[in-house]
């Protein structure tokens, strides 16, 4: 199975495609310097295959490369950041404090 993550800027979400079929998305809202991830969903028939992790990693990496700080407001993105220590630094210091993330 092939996977591809695309940033659908018109809908403000990253979308993951599995064999060219939409399998889920991660919605975001941008400010001048931060990207808040507010909701992530993997469609039921695609759950349990690691697509959520692929989607979130790609979305966070792309956002960092664009110069955004990450605000992991959605539980799936927050869990990803909490379990991948190398991504904590992408969260602004003020947000780490408010969200109880490691400093």
């Amino acid at each position: 199975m092939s996977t591809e993550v695309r940033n659908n800027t018109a809908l403000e979400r990253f979308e993951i495609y599995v064999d060219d079929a939409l399998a889920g998305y991660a919605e975001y809202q941008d400010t001048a310097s931060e990207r808040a991830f507010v909701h992530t969903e993997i469609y039921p028939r695609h759950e349990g295959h690691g697509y959520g992790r692929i989607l979130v990693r790609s979305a966070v990496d792309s956002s960092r490369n664009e110069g955004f700080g990450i605000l992991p407001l959605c539980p799936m993105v927050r869990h990803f950041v909490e379990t991948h220590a190398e991504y904590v630094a992408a969260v602004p210091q003020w947000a780490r404090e408010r969200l109880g993330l490691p400093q």
Side-chain angles (χ1 to χ4, degrees), residues 43-82:
Y43 297 137
R45 69 179 275 223
H46 296 288
E47 290 177 344
H49 300 285
Y51 298 131
R53 184 177 60 254
I54 294 167
L55 171 61
V56 171
R57 182 183 304 274
S58 181
V60 170
D61 284 344
S62 178
S63 299
R64 287 192 317 175
N65 290 340
E66 291 178 55
F68 286 104
I70 304 304
L71 301 178
L73 304 180
C74 141
M76 188 180 293
V77 177
R78 181 181 175 133
H79 176 74
F80 179 84
V81 169
E82 288 175 330

Side-chain angles (χ1 to χ4, degrees), residues 25-28 37-41 73-74:
Y25 58 88
E27 294 178 331
Y28 61 84
F37 285 93
V38 295
H39 178 72
T40 303
E41 184 171 337
L73 304 180
C74 141

